[in-house]
Amino acid sequence: MGGVKELRTLSARKLLLLKLSQVHHLLTVFLFRFSCCLFIMSSRKFFVGGNWKMNGDKRSLGDLISTLNTASLHDETEVVCGAPTIYLDFARSHLDARIGVAAQNCYKVAKGAFTGEISPAMIKDCGVEWVILGHSERRHVFGENDELIGQKVAHALESDLGVIACIGEKLEEREAGTTEEVLYGQTKDIADNVNDWSKVVLAYEPVWAIGTGKTASPEQAQEVHEKLREWMRTNVSEAVADSVRIIYGGSVTGANCHELGSQKDVDGFLVGGASLKPEFVDIINARA
Ligand code: PGA
């Protein structure tokens, strides 16, 4: 009788040990995955772009530049200011070297009879290293289509400029449930023209959130960013999906930047209105 009881206790102990080792294994796998995720996230340098659009003059932009030059900016964040074409040279020569400058648009060829346009070669000649392409105002106010944006991306990259490539759905597209279709289509036309993803930052900017004060919620932004990263994994490569920076734009402010910036797949921001205010410094330091 005593022997049976002993046997039972023994197998109960064995079962307990087995269960404990299973729990230990699951916990190890979970912790490993979690730390990989944190590592990948932190290996993507946080990127904050300011898009000054068609705003400012030498005086006001000069004041803004002085504020940025003297501010304490988080070392681990890459900062780039998008200046109006006429002020690119001014911005580059006055901004501290730790802050990058971007043009807000460029054409698809190096030179020629294209009145009013500027080329990547000219942008580079001013010491400027980035260009914003495919911004929603270029798409919807000036009628640029996916094909033209793709050609501009290809030529800017060939010319060794970094590209902040913008995509975003309109309100009626979101309401019609076509957000993913629209974003994947725009991303494909960009991706087909990229051969070096280290020079590209993808900016998700829902059109309904730009300049409207209506920000996407952190959950909405994270959901789209995660899907875009998965699209990259399937259609480009694992390595690009893990390394490409996907930034959010649309009514980002000093008040909402921390929560948005803490989302796993949000690697920074493209900021319009608030980039013209001292509050831009808080947005730059959102992940500090
Ligand atoms: P917003 O603009 O921050 O003023 O909404 C963002 C953008 O257009 O890049």
Side-chain angles (χ1 to χ4, degrees):
M1 205 52 187
V4 174
K5 205 174 168 191
E6 234 169 63
L7 260 178
R8 270 202 199 128
T9 329
L10 210 65
S11 41
R13 259 199 213 141
K14 269 193 188 156
L15 204 68
L16 185 69
L17 279 177
L18 189 70
K19 284 254 164 347
L20 277 177
S21 80
Q22 279 171 344
V23 169
H24 180 258
H25 175 72
L26 285 175
L27 210 66
T28 315
V29 170
F30 170 76
L31 284 176
F32 177 72
R33 294 223 170 121
F34 183 66
S35 44
C36 282
C37 184
L38 281 184
F39 174 74
I40 287 168
M41 191 178 159
S42 61
S43 66
R44 295 191 297 263
K45 193 171 190 180
F46 205 65
F47 183 104
V48 178
N51 180 4
W52 296 345
K53 307 194 180 183
M54 198 177 75
N55 290 300
D57 50 26
K58 281 190 185 171
R59 207 165 88 183
S60 63
L61 295 177
D63 289 347
L64 179 64
I65 288 169
S66 306
T67 305
L68 293 174
N69 286 348
T70 51
S72 143
L73 307 179
H74 188 40
D75 288 344
E76 294 305 313
T77 296
E78 185 167 1
V79 185
V80 172
C81 292
T85 307
I86 192 93
Y87 297 132
L88 281 174
D89 218 351
F90 174 81
R92 184 58 290 165
S93 52
H94 289 84
L95 267 171
D96 206 282
R98 69 194 166 139
I99 300 171
V101 176
Q104 297 173 12
N105 189 25
C106 67
Y107 199 49
K108 61 177 179 175
V109 292
K111 60 179 180 160
F114 302 103
T115 304
E117 294 292 317
I118 60 164
S119 71
M122 293 166 178
I123 295 170
K124 288 215 63 159
D125 196 33
C126 292
V128 169
E129 41 305 270
W130 287 90
V131 63
I132 300 171
L133 289 174
H135 188 275
S136 95
E137 285 140 25
R138 298 303 318 170
R139 291 176 187 269
H140 306 302
V141 181
F142 298 98
E144 292 190 10
N145 61 27
D146 285 341
E147 191 192 355
L148 176 61
I149 292 160
Q151 290 165 339
K152 289 182 175 197
V153 167
H155 181 60
L157 290 172
E158 269 162 29
S159 314
D160 204 29
L161 274 182
V163 173
I164 302 168
C166 308
I167 57 169
E169 82 286 2
K170 294 193 217 158
L171 184 59
E172 57 265 35
E173 292 165 335
R174 178 163 276 263
E175 285 173 349
T178 57
T179 301
E180 282 168 46
E181 192 187 312
V182 170
L183 295 178
Y184 295 160
Q186 292 174 347
T187 307
K188 184 178 185 318
D189 281 307
I190 291 164
D192 286 348
N193 289 286
V194 176
N195 47 29
D196 180 2
W197 280 94
S198 70
K199 306 274 293 177
V200 180
V201 170
L202 189 64
Y204 167 56
E205 300 203 293
V207 180
W208 48 270
I210 295 180
T212 57
K214 233 199 229 172
T215 324
S217 68
E219 295 73 27
Q220 280 173 323
Q222 168 57 27
E223 189 190 358
V224 171
H225 285 224
E226 191 171 352
K227 284 184 176 153
L228 288 169
R229 209 177 289 292
E230 283 319 304
W231 188 93
M232 290 284 173
R233 203 172 300 285
T234 312
N235 296 282
V236 183
S237 73
E238 282 275 333
V240 168
D242 287 337
S243 62
V244 70
R245 288 173 294 180
I246 307 179
I247 62 174
Y248 168 80
S251 300
V252 175
T253 64
N256 60 29
C257 64
H258 298 279
E259 220 187 329
L260 280 163
S262 66
Q263 302 303 307
K264 165 165 96 56
D265 289 293
V266 175
D267 304 314
F269 307 114
L270 186 56
V271 187
S275 73
L276 292 158
K277 302 177 190 162
E279 142 187 31
F280 189 49
V281 173
D282 301 327
I283 302 176
I284 292 170
N285 292 333
R287 268 264 184 101

